[in-house]
Amino acid sequence: MYKLVIQGGTPLRGNVKASGSKNSSLPILFSSILADSPITLQNAPQLSDISTTLKLLMSMGAEFILESDSSLYVDASKLDNLVADYNLVKTMRAAILALGPMLAKYGKAKVSLPGGCAIGTRPVDLHLKALKELGATIEVKNGYIYAEAENLVGADIYFDQISVTATENVIMAATLAQGTTTINNAAQEPEVSDLSHCLNKMGAKISGIGTSVIVIEGVKKLNGVQYSVCSDRIEVATYLVAAAITGGSITVKGTNPKAMRSVLGKLIETGADIKTDSQSITLNMNGKRAKAVNIKTGTYPNFPTDMQAQFTALNAIAEGHSSITENIFENRFMHIPELMRMGANLTLEGNTVFCKGVKSLTGAHLIATDLRASASLVLAGLAAKGTTTIERVYHLDRGYETIEEKLKLLGANIERVQD
């Protein structure tokens, strides 16, 4: 078991390159099931969730090669085991995305109910209801989803609530369905758009990309492609907050500022000087203490729930009072007790945390509980006086590629050590 040891108090400075998006790479890897030939995925990050997905695809009969340029060659065109087993699915909720592609191409699927971070309930009802509307017969028993469909048929689908993975599952299933499928109240996240663009390159006919109404005209087959995934906007935002919380100045290269308007707007409110071009973002605090900001999380293009914990850490040492309301997950404040152990003045009431900023935090021994909570503790440790030790950093490895190495490049005093 590994842990991170951080000596805080050093302002971050320098340049760092954005990694590819985990939340784009995962659905695109599952979309390889739909193709009649291999895909080559470029810019995919080296993360434990990516490794788990590749293991899952291999257990179904797929093959993959990590090319010399770090691109992934994946041949999932002929699966011989249409089961997503619990032992592989239990650590990663995105495995539910195997359901739609298997059902569309092979007419049946057996997928374990998913796991992942313990940040709240994530019902698969939206997935199942929509796939039934496309003509699937579905039964849930013994912890597995059993699905069959002789032929999927296009339908007019309306989601009662916005769901990224349900939108992605239905898009993939509908690509090979007979007729036209319309998804109303679809998720508009850039990662959904990235998947759709990749599928169109494979031969799908998807329109309304990036809007709340997505239309898919079914085709008879899809082909393999070479595709480069978009940058990880949550990773980029996390590094920007790392610079803000330490009073530093950094440039993140290889990213799309247009996908991050809500986060950049809040960083500007903190007093950060933000400059952007088409492929980079520069943040400079000019040595100033951040000002507290109020936040309400929501679906894209609103403020992302995946950045709530990091901004909570920033508000903890910011000047003034603030409130952060979590509207997506009901149990996404597990970082609060850990931050309070570092001296943060936080009060949790329902789905809102109220914060009175303190001038400094002090290092402490901390336990990470989920992916983004882990990131918030790293940020707090970077700003704190003294030594911070963070246990269970395997959560971080699910979503941040070599985080300690990138932070070292920016001047952070951080080490990964083994117990």
Side-chain angles (χ1 to χ4, degrees), residues 24-32 39 41 194-195 198 227 229:
S24 282
S25 298
L26 295 178
I28 290 173
L29 284 173
F30 283 114
S31 77
S32 67
I39 72 166
L41 188 59
D194 211 27
L195 169 65
C198 180
Y227 191 81
V229 301

Side-chain angles (χ1 to χ4, degrees), residues 23 69 120 129 140 145 187 284 338 342 371 375-376 382:
N23 290 337
D69 62 354
K129 179 176 179 289
V140 179
I145 302 165
N284 190 348
E338 300 300 292
M342 302 178 76
L371 172 55
S376 76
L382 292 172

Side-chain angles (χ1 to χ4, degrees), residues 207-329:
S207 58
I209 297 173
T211 76
S212 62
V213 180
I214 298 175
V215 179
I216 309 104
E217 295 180 39
V219 297
K220 290 186 177 180
K221 69 172 187 176
L222 296 177
N223 301 307
V225 292
Q226 181 173 295
Y227 191 81
S228 182
V229 301
C230 67
S231 61
D232 193 317
R233 60 192 172 98
I234 303 302
E235 183 210 41
V236 171
T238 300
Y239 287 120
L240 293 174
V241 174
I245 201 171
T246 60
S249 174
I250 70 167
T251 297
V252 185
K253 298 183 177 181
T255 188
N256 177 15
K258 291 181 180 179
M260 299 179 56
R261 288 171 178 162
S262 62
V263 170
L264 295 183
K266 287 298 175 182
L267 284 169
I268 290 170
E269 282 186 39
T270 70
D273 181 13
I274 301 282
K275 291 183 172 59
T276 65
D277 60 31
S278 61
Q279 288 291 312
S280 72
I281 303 170
T282 297
L283 179 145
N284 190 348
M285 290 303 294
N286 297 305
K288 297 180 299 184
R289 181 185 178 190
K291 297 176 183 176
V293 293
N294 296 323
I295 287 170
K296 293 183 179 180
T297 66
T299 55
Y300 189 87
N302 296 307
F303 191 91
T305 178
D306 280 353
M307 284 304 301
Q308 176 260 111
Q310 296 91 314
F311 267 81
T312 302
L314 179 59
N315 274 346
I317 59 117
E319 182 180 355
H321 294 71
S322 61
S323 64
I324 296 182
T325 301
E326 174 57 60
N327 292 314
I328 305 299
F329 294 113

Side-chain angles (χ1 to χ4, degrees), residues 134-248:
L134 292 176
T137 300
I138 295 176
E139 183 180 9
V140 179
K141 61 180 180 180
N142 302 323
Y144 279 85
I145 302 165
Y146 294 80
E148 291 186 1
E150 186 171 340
N151 289 297
L152 294 178
V153 179
D156 192 8
I157 292 170
Y158 179 84
F159 285 128
D160 292 334
Q161 63 188 79
I162 297 173
S163 166
V164 171
T165 52
T167 299
E168 292 170 337
N169 233 341
V170 174
I171 288 173
M172 289 190 283
T175 58
L176 296 181
Q178 296 176 2
T180 300
T181 298
T182 301
I183 305 174
N184 300 282
N185 203 29
Q188 302 176 56
E189 272 72 2
E191 296 79 16
V192 177
S193 297
D194 211 27
L195 169 65
S196 299
H197 288 309
C198 180
L199 289 167
N200 276 350
K201 196 172 180 181
M202 293 164 67
K205 294 182 179 179
I206 304 169
S207 58
I209 297 173
T211 76
S212 62
V213 180
I214 298 175
V215 179
I216 309 104
E217 295 180 39
V219 297
K220 290 186 177 180
K221 69 172 187 176
L222 296 177
N223 301 307
V225 292
Q226 181 173 295
Y227 191 81
S228 182
V229 301
C230 67
S231 61
D232 193 317
R233 60 192 172 98
I234 303 302
E235 183 210 41
V236 171
T238 300
Y239 287 120
L240 293 174
V241 174
I245 201 171
T246 60

Side-chain angles (χ1 to χ4, degrees), residues 65-85:
I65 299 171
L66 179 61
E67 305 281 12
S68 58
D69 62 354
S70 296
S71 59
L72 288 171
Y73 169 94
V74 182
D75 186 353
S77 59
K78 296 179 181 178
L79 302 186
D80 55 19
N81 176 37
L82 302 176
V83 179
D85 188 78

